[in-house]
């Protein structure tokens, strides 16, 4: 499941091909992708448009068209773009320079929403807190969001309204870097612990972006190298890189959760 670093990697590759180009033809084969809108309507609106910019907000790709509309793409479980023939193609864009861009999605949970800019801002604004690598994501902000919450801190940071872009992998990695136990009630963290958590989140995500995300072997985010840098995720029984204690597995917020029982207090 793509998280901020995987989506950022997709964004960079897509932007390199799409920005400044004109979409000659658009074909959308899967009505689930655009619902409630008709896929033929969305495809007709995309054809002939120039692309100004491909941005990212949380786990969304934000494709800004010269005509003013915005295509919000959420990859969900297995969505991604390919620049050659691909299996499980759900949509295809052909550009004025001959580039063919396929959207593939094995599980078909991904979404394409074509909105005007105000609608797009509203759509993102009600769902997403600040960008974790942006200036608004301060320790004071995070402390305010966690204050009074009894939920496990891991569940709190998976809430996209607390901070945009974390999923199961990077939440676990962030908590390891911050030396915070994933089951601690969010509201009980000290100011110093919140500061460590914020730094841990930023460190884990920066590392993930630098490694072009994690390739979990299913072919969806091929080429990522973050899976070689996991400190806890999926490492049950392996020694903690900081203290040697075997990594433990539990559940938090309904998700498999890995941590070190010695150095995450
Ligand atoms: Zn440890």
């Amino acid at each position: 499941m793509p998280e901020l670093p995987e989506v950022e990697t997709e964004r960079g590759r897509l932007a390199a091909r799409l920005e400044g180009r004109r979409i000659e033809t658009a074909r959308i084969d899967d009505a689930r992708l655009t619902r409630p809108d008709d896929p033929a309507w969305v495809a007709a609106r995309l054809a002939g448009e120039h692309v100004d910019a491909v941005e990212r907000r949380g786990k969304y790709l934000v494709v800004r068209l010269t005509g003013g509309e915005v295509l919000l793409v959420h990859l969900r479980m297995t969505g991604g773009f390919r620049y050659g023939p691909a299996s499980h193609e759900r949509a295809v864009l052909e550009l004025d320079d001959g580039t063919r861009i396929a959207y593939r999605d094995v599980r078909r949970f991904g979404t394409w929403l074509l909105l005007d800019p105000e609608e797009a801002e509203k759509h993102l604004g009600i769902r997403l807190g600040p960008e974790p690598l942006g200036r608004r994501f301060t320790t004071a902000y995070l402390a305010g969001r966690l204050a009074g919450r009894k939920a496990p801190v891991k569940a709190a940071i998976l809430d996209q309204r607390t901070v945009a872009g974390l999923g199961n992998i990077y939440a676990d990695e962030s908590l390891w870097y911050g030396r915070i136990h994933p089951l601690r009630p969010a509201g009980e963290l000290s100011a110093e612990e919140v500061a460590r958590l914020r730094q841990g989140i930023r460190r884990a995500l920066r590392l993930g972006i630098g490694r072009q995300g994690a390739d979990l072997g299913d072919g969806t985010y091929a080429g990522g190298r973050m899976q070689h840098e996991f400190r806890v995720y999926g490492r049950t029984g392996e020694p903690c890189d900081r203290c040697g204690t075997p990594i433990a597995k539990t559940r938090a917020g309904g998700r498999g959760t890995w941590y070190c029982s010695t150095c995450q207090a």
Side-chain angles (χ1 to χ4, degrees):
M1 199 164 170
E3 304 181 31
L4 189 153
E6 289 76 29
V7 178
E8 179 60 25
T9 302
E10 288 281 314
R11 187 206 63 77
R13 291 172 184 163
L14 191 60
R17 287 152 176 105
L18 205 47
E19 282 182 353
R21 305 258 50 115
R22 197 174 84 98
I23 300 169
E24 288 280 345
T25 65
R27 201 186 81 213
I28 301 174
D29 300 323
D30 187 352
R32 274 177 63 165
L33 198 56
T34 59
R35 71 183 172 193
D37 292 328
D38 175 5
W41 178 83
V42 174
R45 302 288 285 253
L46 291 174
E49 282 281 353
H50 282 85
V51 177
D52 274 345
V54 182
E55 300 165 0
R56 182 194 54 73
R57 181 77 174 87
K59 302 181 201 172
Y60 286 84
L61 292 166
V62 181
V63 180
R64 296 192 184 280
L65 305 171
T66 304
E69 287 184 304
V70 177
L71 181 68
L72 290 185
V73 176
H74 200 302
L75 306 173
R76 300 290 170 197
M77 306 283 289
T78 55
F81 290 91
R82 288 291 182 281
Y83 307 100
S87 59
H88 303 285
E89 284 185 3
R90 309 298 177 200
V92 176
L93 304 177
E94 285 176 329
L95 309 185
D96 56 349
D97 65 349
T99 301
R100 181 180 190 275
I101 300 179
Y103 174 80
R104 85 187 283 268
D105 194 341
V106 175
R107 302 279 304 273
R108 299 173 62 216
F109 289 112
T111 56
W112 285 24
L113 262 182
L114 189 62
L115 301 171
D116 68 42
E118 297 76 34
E119 288 174 325
E121 284 312 307
K122 193 175 160 204
H123 188 90
L124 297 173
I126 59 176
R127 287 168 175 81
L128 302 178
E131 286 293 313
L133 300 176
R135 260 180 274 168
R136 279 176 56 216
F137 186 59
T138 62
T139 300
Y141 162 81
L142 183 57
R145 281 292 308 191
L146 301 181
R149 290 177 71 169
K150 294 189 178 69
V153 61
K154 176 166 177 189
I157 62 171
L158 283 174
D159 180 346
Q160 301 298 296
R161 292 166 300 179
T162 300
V163 55
L166 286 176
N168 206 36
I169 292 177
Y170 293 92
D172 282 3
E173 296 294 307
S174 298
L175 289 161
W176 184 85
Y177 282 114
R179 287 179 283 128
I180 308 291
H181 194 293
L183 295 178
R184 287 275 302 283
E188 289 184 8
L189 267 58
S190 69
E192 195 237 325
E193 288 171 325
V194 174
R196 282 201 327 246
L197 174 59
R198 172 181 170 274
Q199 283 183 332
I201 290 169
R202 291 161 68 96
R203 191 164 168 195
L205 292 174
R206 284 207 178 101
L207 187 61
I209 292 170
R211 299 294 181 269
Q212 299 187 292
D215 178 356
L216 299 182
D218 61 0
T220 302
Y221 305 103
R225 301 185 309 283
M226 182 62 184
Q227 67 279 9
H228 303 304
E229 312 259 358
F230 290 161
R231 304 297 191 159
V232 285
Y233 181 82
R235 293 187 57 194
T236 310
E238 292 180 35
C240 171
D241 292 338
R242 205 160 34 207
C243 75
T245 303
I247 300 300
K249 186 178 182 188
T250 183
R251 286 188 84 75
R255 311 291 299 276
T257 295
W258 287 268
Y259 67 103
C260 172
S261 60
T262 300
C263 59
Q264 290 178 250

